[in-house]
Every structure is written in C-alpha cells, then in structure tokens.
Amino acid sequence: MRDMPLSGESTVAAVIDEFLRAAGERRELRSALSHVSAEIGTVPLERVRARHVMALLDRLRDAGLSAKRQKAIIDAVSSLYSFALAEGSCGAAGS
C-alpha cells in the first residue's frame, strides 16, 4: 500500500516501486528497472524524455550490456509508463 498517491511529480523510483508491487515483484522486471532507477530514479517521471532513456541505453551498451538486456529494459520502461498512465501519474508522452 502506498503512502501517498502517485502524481506527475512522483520520481521514477517511486513509480517503479509502486509498479513492482502491483506487478508482483517479478525478478526479471525488477532487474531491468534497477538500471533505470539507478540512473534516473530521482527525476520526476513527467520530466523524463526519450533522450534520457536513450542515453541510459547508450551507456549500458558501451558498458557491454547485451542487446537482449537492452530490449528487456525498453520493454520494462514501456510497461512502467503504461502503469503510470493508468494510475494518472503522468500525462501522454511529449506533453
């Protein structure tokens, strides 16, 4: 149960925590989103843009992360945003 409702100013890390609770703490999902949380977790979700995620993926690729893991992260971020939209904690992309 969350302490306060998610909003546009909720950090990426806070939304990830709520999403993982709702998703049943799936290990694969937690692993993929750990990279996201470590890199941009303190940023309010509504302020994250595609360029932030692309920069994260570029850094991970440069560090040797496989294409398969990069795809898992992309899929996890997509699911995270779908959750956030459903929860009303972010507007449509680009808004």
Side-chain angles (χ1 to χ4, degrees), residues 1-45:
M1 176 171 269
R2 68 178 86 137
D3 294 333
M4 62 173 110
L6 295 174
S7 72
E9 288 301 308
S10 295
T11 65
V12 172
V15 178
I16 287 172
D17 288 345
E18 287 301 319
F19 176 54
L20 291 173
R21 274 194 271 282
E25 300 281 340
R26 294 180 9 223
R27 186 177 136 220
E28 223 173 81
L29 197 53
R30 176 174 290 286
S31 175
L33 290 172
S34 69
H35 296 287
V36 177
S37 187
E39 197 72 29
I40 58 175
T42 61
V43 179
L45 186 68

Side-chain angles (χ1 to χ4, degrees), residues 43-91:
V43 179
L45 186 68
E46 278 196 343
R47 294 189 187 162
V48 175
R49 300 291 178 254
R51 71 178 185 273
H52 298 113
V53 177
M54 294 308 298
L56 165 65
L57 290 171
D58 288 345
R59 282 189 291 279
L60 292 172
R61 183 193 65 237
D62 292 347
L65 193 73
S66 72
K68 183 178 176 181
R69 287 297 299 148
Q70 289 179 55
K71 171 85 168 74
I73 292 168
I74 292 166
D75 291 346
V77 169
S78 177
S79 296
L80 177 70
Y81 269 88
S82 293
F83 170 80
L85 284 168
E87 290 289 310
S89 56
C90 75

